[in-house]
Amino acid sequence: MFEALPTQTPDTPLLDQVKSPADLRAFSDRQLVQLAKEVRAWLLWSVSQTGGHFGAGLGVVELTIALHAALQTPEDRLIWDVGHQAYPHKILTGRKDALLSIRQKDGCAAFPKRDESVYDAFGVGHSSTSISAALGMAIAARAQGKKRRSVAVIGDGALTAGMAFEALTHAGHVQADMLVVLNDNEMSISENVGGLATYLSRLLVSEPFHQLREGSRKVLSHLPLAWELARKTEEQVKSLVSPGTLFEELGFNYVGPVDGHDLPELVSILRKLRHHTGPQFLHVITKKGKGFLPAEADPIGYHALTKLEKPAPTQVPVSKGPKYSNIFGQWLCDMAAADERLMGITPAMREGSDLVRFSERYPKRYFDVAIAEQHAVTLAAGMACEGLKPVVAIYSTFLQRAYDQLIHDVAVQKLDVLFAIDRAGLVGEDGPTHHGSLDVSFLRCVPEMLIMAPADEQECRQLLTTGYLYPGPAAVRYPRGCGPGVTVTDTLEPLPIGKAELRREGEGILVLALGSRVSVAAEAAEALNATLVNLRFVKPLDESLILELAAQHQLVVTVEENALAGGVGAAVLECLAAAGLTRPVLNLGLPDVFVDQGDHEQLLADHGLDGPGILASIQTRWNALIKGE
């Protein structure tokens, strides 16, 4: 997709001489260390121009270089978990200049993407998938008689997910030839990175030790008691200086912990591990934000960086008011003060879902379960069984990962759980893996669910209260960013369940809008003198109002920031069909494609969901209807 870099002279920076990872294999250790400095400098500069994920990439510069220098990529499969840390990988695989277009429309993707580069062995966006994917590739290599290696790079946060441990267990069981690299940027065990740990790591990957270990296994396998004694002795010695006993028990040969910023040492260990058979596990200690002091001091705040822009001298900052996530965060604190049964749950999204204040004010009622969406939902179900009132704060795209738990553990049992679904609709630069464009569709078919979408900030607060007080599973979906600017009061009053709001009365055209599209559709309704309804509720629909108004109008229009397939427009069609009411219907929403990355407003315009697009679509259909076409 992206062109290779032109050939450079020996006097140019090393980074400019890298046309592919194969070039790294001819570099000396000193050159690789210099290259790491240049990659880090380019990453710092380029992300400051574009914005994007920041701290994780800085922490794995040396690891990325070592992996490409030691492996035979792309023949060897290198799989990055999540992808936040993959910017250095993109730089070294022919996308250095393309990084300046990252997260932009038609530009470089925010995450590894298979159709972008042959070096992106697996597309990602959600976490904890790398070990499963690498295991599948290792099994495929075995079945095909290939000698290629599969390597999964996973962070300590992503390793908290159950899926990662399921894959580890299976890999140990089938004894696949693969390597798992744990990128550990936590400080809890960093003191283990020292002389003894380094010496042990060198010993564990040395050829004499490997031959001794495998030879002993073959000889002693006929003497079960002797082999078990030797195995336990080895484990006990390792456990004195490393935390790898768990991985050994799962069937992996554990090596580490290793200093993830000692580039020559990393290259040496990885080159040896590439030739070892069976499941291998390398534990690497890195520092998130390495090389940029503010990011090292505040790894959470510098997880991602917005584009650095200087405002024009005459530019006056405009307050956009609170974001929807801020509305939720304040509501959660207020409701917790009013009801001691409330419990807040998040799968590692404390900052993103604005749970910081709640976690500080109510630490015993706050539960961050790490990257474990399935566990988060069933944890809430267990709480609800005992009379508590759990609120699960979760992004739309991440709720997809807990769909079975939502159905099996919550909805089937009619349990009292509120889902506060953030980032509903298009989210912009992170692309198809992060757009929340499917939740209306996959929630609407679940029995017992109450599904709501606010048109503004005040309504968001009221619908959260409505869902909280509802005796069963309820969901409130709200978009990323700010609303239309409606003043928010401190009320905890609910809205009537299943009742839409008639916002404007007109003639000929009935516009039924949901959530974020209500205020935008209002512009079209005003221009066309159309009737406008704020649906508020996807399930149950306000069928009586819809049928009454549809009978009085010649054209029914639905507008939503969700997939048309199974969305609220489909629900309206079902309502009209069930009542035997025949009317021309125009459904406006997201098409049956995975929407790519780009600026949020531009993506809406591309799909006719901005103000001008909605007006043009309705006007075209209305004109055709008048002409009898």
Side-chain angles (χ1 to χ4, degrees):
M1 182 175 178
F2 299 107
E3 295 181 1
L5 299 174
T7 304
Q8 304 291 327
T9 67
D11 295 329
T12 58
L14 289 172
L15 181 55
D16 288 342
Q17 297 179 44
V18 177
K19 292 177 288 188
S20 76
D23 296 323
L24 305 183
R25 295 155 207 161
F27 285 2
S28 66
D29 286 350
R30 178 178 293 183
Q31 287 176 308
L32 291 177
V33 171
Q34 175 59 32
L35 178 64
K37 295 178 182 178
E38 296 177 14
V39 170
R40 186 167 276 115
W42 182 266
L43 179 60
L44 282 164
W45 179 77
S46 64
V47 176
S48 73
Q49 307 300 305
T50 63
H53 298 107
F54 188 65
L58 288 174
V60 297
V61 169
E62 287 82 6
L63 177 59
T64 305
I65 293 172
L67 285 164
H68 280 297
L71 299 174
Q72 296 295 314
T73 55
E75 178 61 20
D76 287 337
R77 308 307 198 223
L78 178 58
I79 301 99
W80 296 94
D81 210 282
V82 186
H84 294 150
Q85 73 273 46
Y87 285 24
H89 163 77
K90 288 176 179 276
I91 291 173
L92 295 171
T93 53
R95 290 168 282 179
K96 168 178 165 284
D97 297 323
L99 208 66
L100 291 171
S101 68
I102 200 161
R103 305 172 81 238
Q104 299 170 24
K105 183 175 172 58
D106 300 323
C108 193
F111 305 101
K113 189 175 181 182
R114 279 171 54 84
D115 61 6
E116 183 177 283
S117 171
V118 68
Y119 292 95
D120 291 356
F122 194 73
V124 291
H126 293 177
S127 82
S128 315
T129 62
S130 62
I131 303 176
S132 296
L135 176 56
M137 294 176 186
I139 292 173
R142 177 192 294 173
Q144 297 163 358
K146 304 287 186 180
K147 295 297 183 182
R148 63 173 179 264
R149 300 307 300 263
S150 297
V151 179
V153 183
I154 187 168
D156 54 298
L159 196 63
T160 61
M163 182 178 178
F165 280 93
E166 292 169 14
L168 286 171
T169 300
H170 189 207
H173 174 70
V174 300
Q175 285 294 292
D177 293 337
M178 64 178 294
L179 169 63
V180 175
V181 178
L182 172 59
N183 171 30
D184 185 351
N185 54 35
E186 291 291 329
M187 301 302 293
S188 59
I189 55 175
S190 60
E191 61 271 17
N192 290 320
V193 180
L196 185 57
T198 300
Y199 174 77
L200 177 66
S201 298
R202 290 175 181 172
L203 175 64
L204 295 177
V205 298
S206 66
E207 190 58 30
F209 178 84
H210 184 64
Q211 292 178 354
L212 176 63
R213 190 176 193 271
E214 293 305 308
S216 299
R217 184 195 300 272
K218 293 177 181 178
V219 172
L220 296 179
S221 61
H222 302 291
L223 303 170
L225 292 178
W227 168 245
E228 184 65 14
L229 176 62
R231 186 183 65 81
K232 287 187 175 181
T233 300
E234 179 190 346
E235 287 181 357
Q236 290 172 358
V237 171
K238 284 184 177 181
S239 67
L240 293 174
V241 289
S242 73
T245 304
L246 169 64
F247 304 107
E248 292 277 355
E249 290 293 335
L250 291 173
F252 281 76
N253 176 42
Y254 173 89
V255 176
V258 175
D259 183 353
H261 302 295
D262 186 342
L263 187 46
E265 189 67 30
L266 276 176
V267 173
S268 175
I269 289 175
L270 285 166
R271 282 174 175 162
K272 293 170 183 174
L273 282 175
R274 185 178 181 273
H275 297 289
H276 288 192
T277 58
Q280 308 294 319
F281 192 100
L282 175 62
H283 186 172
V284 176
I285 305 296
T286 63
K287 188 171 186 62
K288 194 171 184 178
K290 176 72 174 178
F292 184 59
L293 292 179
E296 290 186 22
D298 182 14
I300 294 177
Y302 282 89
H303 169 70
L305 191 71
T306 55
K307 183 178 179 180
L308 301 182
E309 294 180 315
K310 294 182 179 180
T314 57
Q315 183 176 342
V316 178
V318 178
S319 175
K320 294 183 179 180
K323 297 179 180 178
Y324 277 103
S325 57
N326 304 142
I327 302 297
F328 165 73
Q330 184 60 55
W331 171 86
L332 191 67
C333 290
D334 294 345
M335 185 57 78
D339 187 349
E340 63 182 11
R341 297 174 299 163
L342 185 149
M343 300 287 158
I345 301 172
T346 180
M349 286 289 111
R350 186 181 78 145
E351 286 75 22
S353 295
D354 199 18
L355 289 169
V356 174
R357 287 171 294 172
F358 178 81
S359 68
E360 294 171 348
R361 293 183 192 178
Y362 304 98
K364 294 183 178 180
R365 296 159 66 182
Y366 166 74
F367 300 89
D368 184 342
V369 302
I371 303 174
E373 294 87 356
Q374 295 172 318
H375 168 58
V377 173
T378 305
L379 174 70
M383 290 179 177
C385 284
E386 301 302 321
L388 297 180
K389 297 277 286 185
V391 178
V392 179
I394 191 167
Y395 288 10
S396 172
T397 183
F398 298 146
L399 183 57
Q400 297 165 187
R401 311 189 78 182
Y403 191 46
D404 179 60
Q405 286 68 32
L406 183 147
I407 296 171
H408 181 273
D409 299 336
V410 176
V412 168
Q413 303 185 85
K414 304 179 184 179
L415 292 175
D416 195 357
V417 177
L418 173 62
F419 295 91
I421 305 175
D422 198 352
R423 270 64 167 181
L426 299 176
V427 296
E429 293 83 358
D430 283 341
T433 59
H434 281 60
H435 291 318
S437 56
L438 304 175
D439 56 86
V440 170
S441 304
F442 69 67
L443 287 175
R444 196 170 70 81
C445 63
V446 179
E448 309 297 337
M449 286 295 301
L450 174 66
I451 310 169
M452 301 161 280
D456 56 51
E457 298 90 337
Q458 175 65 11
E459 199 166 86
C460 182
R461 185 177 172 93
Q462 291 179 282
L463 289 179
L464 285 166
T465 302
T466 306
Y468 183 80
L469 298 178
Y470 176 72
V476 180
R477 72 183 305 258
Y478 46 90
R480 180 184 186 182
C482 303
V486 174
T487 301
V488 181
T489 68
D490 58 2
T491 181
L492 289 175
E493 291 296 319
L495 291 170
I497 291 177
K499 294 299 181 182
E501 176 194 23
L502 178 59
R503 287 207 168 186
R504 187 186 192 282
E505 293 190 67
E507 299 177 351
I509 303 171
L510 170 62
V511 180
L512 306 171
L514 180 71
S516 65
R517 296 302 88 198
V518 173
S519 59
V520 181
E523 302 170 13
E526 188 69 30
L528 297 169
N529 189 28
T531 297
L532 175 66
V533 172
N534 166 24
L535 287 171
R536 285 180 174 162
F537 292 86
V538 175
K539 189 175 184 179
L541 274 179
D542 191 344
E543 295 187 354
S544 59
L545 180 63
I546 291 172
L547 292 173
E548 176 188 346
L549 293 175
Q552 300 169 9
H553 293 76
Q554 288 74 54
L555 174 64
V556 177
V557 180
T558 66
V559 190
E560 61 188 305
E561 194 174 343
N562 186 82
L564 284 172
V568 75
V572 170
L573 284 169
E574 293 164 10
C575 171
L576 297 176
L581 180 59
T582 302
R583 283 288 183 276
V585 177
L586 171 63
N587 294 138
L588 300 179
L590 296 173
D592 192 24
V593 298
F594 287 111
V595 178
D596 215 336
Q597 67 200 40
D599 175 77
H600 180 232
E601 292 303 319
Q602 182 60 54
L603 291 178
L604 289 171
D606 289 346
H607 296 287
L609 290 177
D610 63 343
I614 293 171
L615 176 59
S617 295
I618 299 175
Q619 185 72 69
T620 299
R621 184 61 178 274
W622 180 244
N623 290 340
L625 188 64
I626 291 175
K627 295 177 182 179
E629 297 177 0

